Amino acid sequence: MKSFILSSLFVVLLSGCTIYRSEGRKQFESEAPDKVAAASFQLISCKKEGKLETWFNEEFPSHTYELVISETDLEIWRTLRGEVVEVKALQKSEKATQSCIYQFANEAIWTLYKDQFIRELENNLMTLE
């Protein structure tokens, strides 16, 4: 009985090794640098704002935020929190306004990925998932 359990355990361990050497693993490792670069910012939170909250934020924006882009259906604001660049994106529709907060590690990373980030938001990719 013990030999059966030990041999089964050994087979399971060896099958894990073949998965480790698989083509999928090689593909993941070759794409990893791009995925790390794409993950240079993180989504902190998203919420739907009510009309009153949206109006208040438009009329009385925080004095620490700087407007980056203002379009009919998208506004992007940024501020510094120490070295971290915090970006607030407001995506507007007829029904509601969605507000998302993102963080970039520092000013250099924000500058490097700013255009790509804005393009993604313009393509309606703002989501918590």
Side-chain angles (χ1 to χ4, degrees):
M1 181 69 167
K2 284 184 181 179
S3 63
F4 176 74
I5 293 174
L6 288 175
S7 61
S8 298
L9 182 61
F10 185 73
V11 169
V12 169
L13 289 173
L14 285 179
S15 66
C17 291
T18 59
I19 292 171
Y20 180 79
R21 293 185 204 140
S22 71
E23 287 301 313
R25 175 72 181 193
K26 289 178 184 175
Q27 180 183 3
F28 170 78
E29 289 175 350
S30 67
E31 293 176 0
D34 293 334
K35 290 183 180 188
V36 169
S40 60
F41 63 89
Q42 62 181 351
L43 175 63
I44 303 301
S45 66
C46 278
K47 68 176 184 173
K48 290 198 179 208
E49 292 185 354
K51 291 186 180 200
L52 182 61
E53 184 178 9
T54 300
W55 173 83
F56 185 79
N57 288 333
E58 287 175 352
E59 294 298 318
F60 306 103
S62 176
H63 69 282
T64 60
Y65 277 87
E66 167 191 344
L67 184 63
V68 175
I69 189 169
S70 178
E71 296 177 355
T72 306
D73 59 348
L74 178 67
E75 284 185 10
I76 299 175
W77 298 78
R78 67 166 230 142
T79 189
L80 289 174
R81 303 242 187 252
E83 285 192 23
V84 174
V85 176
E86 184 177 283
V87 177
K88 182 176 184 179
L90 299 167
Q91 195 167 32
K92 302 173 186 178
S93 71
E94 292 178 12
K95 297 178 182 179
T97 299
Q98 184 171 351
S99 170
C100 291
I101 305 285
Y102 299 87
Q103 283 186 344
F104 290 78
N106 55 43
E107 188 74 31
I109 290 176
W110 163 249
T111 303
L112 184 62
Y113 293 106
K114 174 182 160 183
D115 293 333
Q116 177 185 355
F117 177 76
I118 291 170
R119 272 194 312 275
E120 289 178 7
L121 289 181
E122 288 174 336
N123 291 330
N124 298 319
L125 298 179
M126 184 162 57
T127 181
L128 189 56
E129 298 174 359

Coordinates of all heavy atoms in Angstrom, one line a residue, residues 16 31 37 50 53 58 78 87 98 106 114 120:
G16 N 4.2 17.2 -13.0 CA 4.4 18.7 -12.8 C 5.6 19.2 -13.5 O 5.6 20.3 -14.0
E31 N 6.9 36.2 -23.1 CA 6.1 37.4 -23.1 C 6.2 38.2 -21.8 O 5.6 39.3 -21.7 CB 4.6 37.0 -23.4 CG 4.4 36.5 -24.8 CD 3.0 36.1 -25.0 OE1 2.2 36.1 -24.0 OE2 2.6 35.6 -26.1
A37 N 5.9 45.2 -18.2 CA 5.8 46.6 -18.6 C 4.3 47.1 -18.6 O 4.0 48.2 -18.2 CB 6.4 46.8 -20.0
G50 N -23.0 59.3 -8.7 CA -24.3 59.8 -8.9 C -24.2 61.2 -9.6 O -23.1 61.8 -9.7
E53 N -22.8 63.9 -7.2 CA -21.4 63.8 -6.9 C -20.5 64.2 -8.2 O -19.5 64.9 -8.0 CB -21.0 62.3 -6.6 CG -19.6 62.1 -6.2 CD -19.3 60.7 -5.8 OE1 -20.2 59.8 -5.9 OE2 -18.2 60.4 -5.3
E58 N -17.1 68.3 -10.7 CA -16.8 69.1 -11.9 C -16.7 70.6 -11.4 O -15.8 71.3 -11.9 CB -17.8 69.0 -12.9 CG -17.7 67.6 -13.7 CD -18.9 67.5 -14.7 OE1 -19.8 68.3 -14.7 OE2 -18.8 66.5 -15.4
R78 N -4.6 64.0 -12.7 CA -3.5 63.4 -12.0 C -3.0 64.2 -10.8 O -3.1 65.5 -10.8 CB -2.3 63.1 -12.9 CG -1.7 64.3 -13.4 CD -0.3 64.1 -14.1 NE 0.6 65.1 -13.5 CZ 1.8 64.9 -13.1 NH1 2.4 63.7 -13.4 NH2 2.5 65.8 -12.6
V87 N -3.8 58.8 -10.7 CA -4.6 59.2 -11.8 C -6.0 58.9 -11.6 O -6.4 57.8 -11.3 CB -4.1 58.6 -13.1 CG1 -4.9 59.0 -14.3 CG2 -2.6 58.9 -13.3
Q98 N -18.5 56.9 -14.5 CA -17.6 55.9 -13.8 C -16.3 56.5 -13.4 O -15.7 57.1 -14.3 CB -17.4 54.6 -14.6 CG -16.6 53.6 -13.8 CD -16.6 52.2 -14.6 OE1 -17.3 52.0 -15.6 NE2 -15.8 51.3 -14.1
N106 N 5.9 56.0 -10.3 CA 6.6 57.3 -10.1 C 6.4 58.2 -11.4 O 5.7 57.7 -12.4 CB 8.1 57.1 -9.9 CG 8.8 56.3 -10.9 OD1 8.5 56.4 -12.1 ND2 9.6 55.4 -10.5
K114 N 2.0 57.2 -20.3 CA 0.9 58.1 -20.4 C 0.1 57.9 -21.6 O -1.2 57.8 -21.6 CB 1.4 59.5 -20.2 CG 0.3 60.6 -20.3 CD 1.0 61.9 -20.2 CE 0.1 63.0 -20.7 NZ 0.8 64.3 -20.7
E120 N -5.9 53.5 -24.1 CA -6.7 52.4 -23.6 C -8.0 52.9 -22.9 O -9.0 52.3 -23.1 CB -5.9 51.6 -22.5 CG -4.8 50.8 -23.1 CD -3.9 50.0 -22.1 OE1 -4.3 50.1 -20.9 OE2 -2.9 49.4 -22.5

